[in-house]
Amino acid sequence: MKIIVRAGLARSKVWDTMHGFEIRTNIPDVDVIYFDEKNIDERTEKNLEAELRVILPDIPWSVKNEARMHVHNDIPPYISSEDAISKFPETATALGVKVDKNNKLILTAPCGIEDVLNLELKPTPYFRETKERAVIYEERINKKNWKAVWHKIQVHHIEIY
């Protein structure tokens, strides 16, 4: 099973550094995703969270099996963790990091890394496809209020007709 740590952690670290913050910003959780079509029981995710809390108890872990998240998101099934990442709302959060068999970090960035490095918050192509997804993107931008934390970022909105 391939496990990927999601982007919020990486994005926040990059933006903290680019803003010159000496103290890291608080992160609400550390998202860990995996893809296991054979076991989509949510209890497995909770058990994995519990195991991670034993190892690192001060980290707010959130584990999700992307093989079941399409049901939660009411969309067609994902085919992999990378496919799921490509359908995250913002390009700057459509990132993930995993460790390969040689203990090297591998970055997964289906929408590229330019936006996170350029301090730009843009919708992924998937969220530009429909008005309904555009609304979700805009609501998320307002709710997260990232601009209040990282004042240098440029937020790109989707015009909703």
Side-chain angles (χ1 to χ4, degrees):
M1 177 171 35
K2 195 171 12 174
I3 296 176
I4 299 175
V5 176
R6 275 250 345 267
L9 184 67
R11 181 216 54 233
S12 295
K13 176 62 175 161
V14 169
W15 286 358
D16 285 354
T17 300
M18 295 179 83
H19 279 77
F21 297 167
E22 291 184 21
I23 298 173
R24 294 229 28 207
T25 53
N26 187 33
I27 51 170
D29 58 17
V30 174
D31 296 316
V32 176
I33 65 170
Y34 66 99
F35 194 85
D36 182 359
E37 296 172 292
K38 295 180 177 126
N39 180 1
I40 59 170
D41 188 340
E42 187 176 2
R43 288 178 295 189
T44 302
E45 297 166 16
K46 298 306 175 196
N47 291 338
L48 289 169
E49 285 176 7
E51 288 178 34
L52 287 168
R53 276 193 300 278
V54 167
I55 298 166
L56 293 168
D58 295 333
I59 305 294
W61 298 106
S62 174
V63 178
K64 299 288 184 265
N65 180 358
E66 293 297 343
R68 77 167 189 86
M69 291 309 294
H70 69 283
V71 175
H72 175 74
N73 296 330
D74 195 27
I75 60 173
Y78 302 124
I79 59 171
S80 66
S81 293
E82 291 82 0
D83 180 44
I85 290 172
S86 76
K87 294 178 173 78
F88 290 163
E90 310 86 21
T91 55
T93 59
L95 304 170
V97 179
K98 62 185 173 184
V99 179
D100 73 7
K101 62 184 177 184
N102 298 316
N103 286 327
K104 303 269 189 214
L105 292 178
I106 305 295
L107 176 66
T108 298
C111 298
I113 61 168
E114 295 80 11
D115 292 342
V116 74
L117 295 176
N118 292 326
L119 299 169
E120 294 192 81
L121 200 55
K122 296 178 182 176
T124 59
Y126 185 75
F127 272 78
R128 288 186 177 275
E129 287 179 355
T130 69
K131 180 180 177 180
E132 293 78 18
R133 289 185 209 139
V135 168
I136 293 168
Y137 169 82
E138 291 295 330
E139 288 172 350
R140 183 171 155 89
I141 293 300
N142 289 329
K143 177 184 168 196
K144 295 290 186 177
N145 196 18
W146 286 307
K147 185 96 171 151
V149 176
W150 298 286
H151 66 278
K152 294 179 184 177
I153 66 170
Q154 181 181 1
V155 178
H156 296 262
H157 296 279
I158 304 173
E159 288 191 36
I160 303 169
Y161 301 99

